Each structure stands twice: as structure tokens, then as C-alpha cells.
Amino acid sequence: MKIEFVGHAAEAGPKAAVGVFVHEPATLTGPAAALDAVSGGVLKRAIDGGRFTGGKGQTLDIVAPHNIDAARLLLIGAGPAGSPTAEAVELAAAQAYQAAKTSGAEVLLLKLAGASADLAASAAFGVRLAAYRFDRYRTTEKAEKKPSVKKLRLEVDDPKAATKAFKRLAGLADAVILARDLVSEPANILYPEEFARRVKALTSLGLEVEILGEKEMKKLGMGALLGVGQGSVRDSQLAIIQWKGAKDPAAPPVAFVGKGVCFDTGGISLKPADGMEEMITDMGGAAAVTGAMYALASRKARVNAVGILGLVENMPDANAQRPGDVVTTMSGQTIEVINTDAEGRLVLADAIWYCQDRFKPKFIIDLATLTGAIVVALGKDLGGLFSNNDELSDRLLAASKASGDALWRLPLPPQYESQIDSAVADMKNVGGRPGGSITAALFIQRFIKDTPWAHLDIAATAWKPNSKVATIPSGATGFGVRLLDRLVADHYED
Ligand code: BES
Ligand code: MN
Ligand code: ZN
């Protein structure tokens, strides 16, 4: 998607859809009023003759009259008049794109005269996110099935200022798109070493990247992470990404840890065939952390940040770990592996310990597609938040509201600890069906010393086969990237 900000009276052309925002109740103001005037009142006539009221989410597509240099006009519902928020503009612009996407129009021209540079940037941001499509492996798709809109033009008062305002948001959009691409990529292409290679390529942004292989992790005693990857022919990897943007390069960093199970068959505790292909998304936590680190680097955030990715593939094999195996973690604690499909917590146990031990971070937030039970608990639109720290938790909830990556806090009740006690080891890796997401979080908490910590269970939100949100096309969502970027921007920069 080509995006450009242009001044007044921008050319539209015969292959253009021209969009204007209309407020509720169908009041034509600003660019909409101007367009209505030059087009002889067709906007008003279209509104009067139909149900379009300017409500949020509504669009009305009409043929452009002969004296307008465009193929069609698009009325975009912007909700009640007043000062629009960045989120509302982002969403309305995304809806405009969705309405024009396959209309045959090649250019979408949004008329935003009177809007601030920041709001114009938000509109462009919304369209960037809405236009995401993972089509790398589609070689025979006919042109008429592909989106027709290839260019976005935003008509604004001050193109220079809007271009500048968009720069920061463009970096964030790239970060979300990076995470979506990683999640969408199939597991025969994106295995741990390939993931690590893609992370390594981000050094061009100023990120420092180290990769540990199995030999190094063995030396560190990461028996839990290595046990998960043991049945795979692919080498397990630990990626360590650092961004040093604070005044003091030695100041304690904020830290993010991501579950990066490139494919989760369940291992010897094999998953059923139905829907197993969705387990290519089981590295959604690692993708979100990668995206967040990209976002921080792209806007040169004044913070020190660390991202740790535990990258493995969980396969059944003659060499795979068995139910009943006992593994020793880097922390020294031992785990009885009851179910090899509860592998994410095993990966996180070692990745989190490593992070804490080496970096002594300000806080740790781990992100993981951890449990199917989180879908049962919270449904499909909320990530589960677990935390040992109310301040961090409240800040995350505020960032969640502001970014649109919705979270809901769940408890860490000590009375459920006994569900993961083991008779032969320090703990076992499953706690039974009741409170499955909670016992998973309690398990992870056993690898936190006294660091403020939050665990985000994103099994429901990393992948949306049927998205209803215009900025999030169906498929990989990039959930977590905007959330973490926002959290850092609001509280942790100097
Ligand atoms: N990767 C899955 C969780 C998952 C389920 C992610 C659905 C995305 C969509 C995880 O490794 C898993 O298999 N969890 C088990 C845990 C159980 C064995 C205690 C689960 O949720 O069934
Ligand atoms: Mn699993
Ligand atoms: Zn998994």
C-alpha cells in the first residue's frame, strides 16, 4: 500500500474512490459539505434516500457525478460530532478501506481538510493495518480477486506535518505487520533457526541480537526448554534482543519474554488432527515480543529493553520426551512432565529464569499462546492477564484500553498451587481441567523471584479466523505489539 499526504484539490482520477467522513445524524460538514456542494447535492440526496446516518461502522458507496474527477464517492460514518479520537479515526479510515478494497477503485482518496496532522496520520495508520494480507504463497490468484486499492491519498491542510506525524505510526504498523507475518508463516518455513535468522536481520535497526543454540543452553542447564525441542530435527534456539535507548545504557531494562513454539503437535501427548494446523501460530508470543522490540527501535524509544524468545518445535519422535519424564530447569527446580502438550510453560520456565538471572530487569512480561482454557474463561476477544504486581497490572490494563489490545485480569490464587504439586518432582506441568489457565500461570510464577511480573495468555487473541475489526484482517492479529509499545511510551521512557 502506497501512502501519500497531499494538499488541497488533490487529483483523484477515474480509478479513484473519494472518501469523506460524515457525522451523526447525517450532518455534512467540512470536506463532506464541500464535496456535496460541488457535486450538486448528491451526498445529501443519497443520505435522504437511505438508511445511512453517519453512525460508526456505516459506509455508503455512491457513483460520482459527472463533474467530479473520481469513479465513486464513499461516505464514511464517523459517529457523533465532537472532537474525534485517534482510535475512532483509525477505525473509520480502516472501514473506508474495507468498503473500497475490492470495488475496482485503485486509489482511495480520503478528504481530511480541517483535521490535525496527528489525526490524518491515524487515518493512514488504520488503512495500513486494514490492508494487511498474507499472500506470499498464492501464485494463481486472479487479479480480479485481489484487492484493487493500491494507493492511499490523504488530502490534508499540511502534508509535511502529516507525513512527519505518520512516520512514528508507520514504524508501529511495520512492527504489527512483522508480528503478523511471523505468525502467518507456516512451520516448514519458520522453524526455530529461521525465526532466529529473521530476528538477527533486525540488527539493521540498531537492535543487538544474540542467538544461543542447544549446546549453549545445555551448558546453562535449560533442561525444560530443551526437553520440548528434543523430538524435533530442528535445533532449539534462544534469541536475546536488546534495545539500549535510555540515557544510561546500564540502567535496568524492561523485559519481554515470548513463547516461540514454531509448531505444537502436542508431542507424544499428540493433539487431535482437527485444527492442528492452527498450531503454526504457537509462536505468537515470540512474534509479539519481536514486533514490540522493532517498534521501540524504529522510534528510538528512550528506554532499555530486552526481548527473549524461546524458540522450539514440539514433535513426537523416537527421541521425544515422554509423559513421566522429569526435567531439571535452569533455576534448579525439577518438573515432572505429565503431558507433553503443556510445553509452553516448560519453555517459559527457562527463558524467564535466564532473563531474570542475566538482566535483573525492572519487570518481566511474558506473552504466550499458552492454554485453550483461556478461550473458555474469557472468550475470543480478551487476553488473560496474570500478575504479581498491581502497579504493573494497572498500567497494562490502561495500555490495553488505549491500544485496543484488550486484556482482562485473572487471579493467582495460592489455594490452587497444590494442583501442580508432584509426588516425584518439585512440580508437575499440568494442574487438571479446573482453572487450566490459572494453574499454568501459577506454574510460571514459580520461576519468578521478586521481579514485578505479568503473564499474558494470548491463545485466543493472537489468531482470529473471523475478525470483525476493520484494522485486523482475519488471521494473525499482531496482538501485543501495540500494547507493549504503548506501555513503554506511557511509563518507562526517560
Ligand atoms: N499451544 C497450546 C495452547 C493453544 C490452544 C494455543 C489453542 C492456541 C489455540 C498449548 O501448548 C497447549 O497445548 N495447551 C494445553 C494444555 C493442557 C495439556 C494442560 C491445552 O490448552 O489443552
Ligand atoms: Mn501444547
Ligand atoms: Zn503450545
Side-chain angles (χ1 to χ4, degrees), residues 70-119:
R72 53 217 312 137
L73 307 180
L74 192 58
L75 282 65
I76 309 153
S83 34
T85 62
E87 295 78 39
V89 171
E90 176 190 314
L91 197 63
Q95 276 155 352
Y97 171 79
Q98 300 294 5
K101 179 165 104 175
T102 52
S103 65
E106 290 169 9
V107 179
L108 174 61
L109 172 72
L110 295 181
K111 286 183 164 285
L112 297 174
S116 69
D118 281 336
L119 284 181

Side-chain angles (χ1 to χ4, degrees), residues 259 264 266 271 282 314 341-343:
K259 168 181 173 181
D264 181 14
K271 286 183 181 295
D282 210 19
N314 189 21
D341 197 11
E343 84 296 340

Side-chain angles (χ1 to χ4, degrees), residues 16-102:
V18 174
V20 286
F21 291 96
V22 178
H23 286 289
E24 219 167 8
T27 28
L28 297 172
T29 55
L35 189 61
D36 191 50
V38 293
S39 63
V42 293
L43 269 59
K44 187 168 184 318
R45 223 176 322 136
I47 289 170
D48 288 346
R51 285 185 167 174
F52 179 88
T53 61
K56 275 187 186 155
Q58 294 181 353
T59 52
L60 178 62
D61 184 9
I62 63 177
V63 164
H66 64 92
N67 62 333
I68 300 287
D69 180 27
R72 53 217 312 137
L73 307 180
L74 192 58
L75 282 65
I76 309 153
S83 34
T85 62
E87 295 78 39
V89 171
E90 176 190 314
L91 197 63
Q95 276 155 352
Y97 171 79
Q98 300 294 5
K101 179 165 104 175
T102 52

Side-chain angles (χ1 to χ4, degrees), residues 259 264 271 279 282 339 341 343 345 369-372 430 459:
K259 168 181 173 181
D264 181 14
K271 286 183 181 295
M279 287 302 116
D282 210 19
N339 188 322
D341 197 11
E343 84 296 340
R345 63 200 76 181
T369 48
L370 204 66
T371 65
V430 292

